[in-house]
Amino acid sequence: MDPCAKSLLDGIIDYAGLFPPAELPMDEAFRRFVGHLSSEEGWMLARFVCPVSRLEELGPLLTDTDTPHPPITISALGHRGGTLEEYLATVGRESAKIVTFSTRHSGRAVVDTVEVGLPETGGVAVAVNQAWGRLTKNGSLQLTPFFEVSLLGDWRQRLPAAAAAVRDTDRKAGPQNRVGLKIRCGGLEEEAIPDVEAVAAAIATCRAIAVPLKATQGLHHPVRQHDPDLGATVHGFINLYAASVLAYVHDLPVRTLIEIVAEVDPGSFTVGPEHFAWHDYRASADEIVAARQTLLTTFGSCSFSEPRDDLKNLGIV
C-alpha cells in the first residue's frame, strides 16, 4: 500500500448501513460492519453510525458479537429541528442516553462523535454553545459534536452563521475537545444534491476558521460522475478530500476548490507513493494526515463495498 493512499484512506468511512438507501435492519447492518472490519480493507473503516434513539437496540449485539478490534467506535446521530427550547431539551435527553450506553458497554464500544442538526428557529450561536455543553458536560466528556448545516437553498447566509457558531464554541472547547461542522452531499433525489459551489465554500470556510468537517450522504463513488438511477451528477469523495487536503496545504482560493469538487476525470487525481495530487497541486503523506486531522475527517456511507470496489477499480487500493 502506497503511503499516500494509506494516509488518505485510513479510517475514512463511517459506516451508515442503517440509513437510506441501504436502510438495513440493525442486526444485519452491524453484522456487515463487523465483517468489513475483519476484511483485508477493514482499516478504511472508522465508526458505526447509529441514531441515539437506537443505541439500546445496538447494545445486545455488542455483547453477542465478537469484534476484531474492540472497542467499536460509534458516531451517534442526534435529533435536529424544532424551536431552540425543544432542541436543547432533546439534546439533553440524548446526552443522558449516550452516557448510559457508554457506561454500560465500556470496553466494548465508545461513542466518540455525535452528529446533530440545528434548530429551525432560535439563535444558532446559542444552540451550538449550549448543545456542546450538554453533550460533553461542559468539556468533561471526550466527545466531538458535528453540527449539521444545510447546503441547499439559501446556504450563502446559513453557512457563515453556523460556521461562526462552531468556531466560537470550538475555541471555547479547546484542542482536546473539538467541535465540527457537518454537511450532506446528496440524498435519494436530485434536489438533495448541493451545488459544487456550496460544497467548495464549506471546505474553504472550515479551512479558514480551522474547524473539522464531516461529510455524509451521496458519496458512494470516488470521483464525481453521472448517476443513472438519480438522473443527476453526484459528488465524489476523492474530489472532496483532494479539495480539503490541497486547501490545507496550499491555501487555495474558492474558485480552485470549485474546480476540484467539479472534476469528473479520474485521471486528474494521482494517489502515488510520494504524493496525492490534482493536476499540479500536490500533498505528501504527512500533509495528508495533518489535513485529515484538521479539516475533512471522515465521510458517512451506507455502503462499504461500493466505495471500496470503486477504489480498487481505479487502482488506488
Side-chain angles (χ1 to χ4, degrees):
M1 174 63 63
D2 290 338
C4 287
K6 187 69 164 64
S7 298
L8 178 65
L9 301 174
D10 190 19
I12 198 173
I13 298 176
D14 286 340
Y15 180 67
L18 294 173
F19 301 89
E23 209 163 8
L24 299 171
M26 176 67 77
D27 57 347
E28 176 66 12
F30 189 69
R31 184 188 65 79
R32 291 194 187 188
F33 174 72
V34 172
H36 292 318
L37 270 182
S38 305
S39 70
E40 186 177 354
E41 297 84 17
W43 55 272
M44 289 168 40
L45 276 173
R47 299 172 184 86
F48 184 77
V49 183
C50 180
V52 175
S53 61
R54 300 185 68 182
L55 285 173
E56 188 173 347
E57 182 184 350
L58 174 62
L61 298 176
L62 292 168
T63 304
D64 298 339
T65 305
D66 290 329
T67 57
H69 306 292
I72 293 291
T73 51
I74 295 171
S75 183
L77 186 64
H79 179 77
R80 56 180 175 172
T83 66
L84 178 60
E85 293 76 14
E86 293 168 342
Y87 170 78
L88 292 175
T90 302
V91 167
R93 290 191 295 270
E94 291 181 333
S95 175
K97 290 180 180 180
I98 291 171
V99 171
T100 298
F101 174 86
S102 297
T103 302
R104 183 175 297 161
H105 299 285
S106 177
R108 297 194 64 84
V110 58
V111 178
D112 68 347
T113 67
V114 59
E115 305 170 33
V116 289
L118 291 168
E120 296 168 0
T121 60
V124 174
V126 174
V128 170
N129 183 55
Q130 293 198 20
W132 170 81
R134 297 184 187 201
L135 288 166
T136 68
K137 308 303 180 189
N138 292 316
S140 63
L141 299 179
Q142 292 292 311
L143 183 69
T144 300
F146 284 88
F147 291 92
E148 182 180 332
V149 58
S150 173
L151 297 182
L152 304 176
D154 192 16
W155 62 267
R156 287 180 175 83
Q157 291 188 357
R158 193 183 306 116
L159 175 61
V166 168
R167 175 203 61 202
D168 293 345
T169 303
D170 183 60
R171 289 176 179 174
K172 172 184 174 181
Q176 301 304 315
N177 296 282
R178 300 307 308 274
V179 182
L181 202 67
K182 173 186 170 181
I183 57 173
R184 290 179 186 265
C185 295
L188 300 179
E189 52 191 18
E190 182 178 0
E191 291 74 15
I193 304 172
D195 294 336
V196 292
E197 292 83 1
V199 174
I203 294 171
T205 299
C206 288
R207 169 69 177 94
I209 63 177
V211 299
L213 176 67
K214 176 176 182 178
T216 191
Q217 280 205 294
L219 298 171
H220 297 162
H221 303 289
V223 180
R224 183 174 170 83
Q225 62 183 264
H226 180 75
D227 186 321
D229 294 330
L230 281 178
T233 302
V234 295
H235 292 288
F237 61 85
I238 290 293
N239 296 68
L240 267 67
Y241 280 91
S244 173
V245 169
L246 297 174
Y248 174 82
V249 174
H250 300 286
D251 197 19
L252 299 177
V254 177
R255 65 178 179 275
T256 304
L257 299 184
I258 291 173
E259 293 180 34
I260 299 174
V261 174
E263 182 64 74
V264 295
D265 179 12
S268 298
F269 301 97
T270 303
V271 185
E274 298 181 358
H275 61 259
F276 171 40
W278 175 76
H279 293 300
D280 294 330
Y281 293 104
R282 298 183 175 188
S284 68
D286 288 343
E287 288 171 331
I288 296 168
V289 171
R292 288 202 51 211
Q293 291 174 341
T294 307
L295 195 46
L296 186 55
T297 54
T298 61
F299 75 95
S301 173
C302 69
S303 170
F304 177 73
S305 56
E306 197 168 20
R308 176 200 61 197
D309 293 347
D310 277 5
L311 287 167
K312 286 184 174 182
N313 290 336
L314 290 174
I316 296 175
V317 173

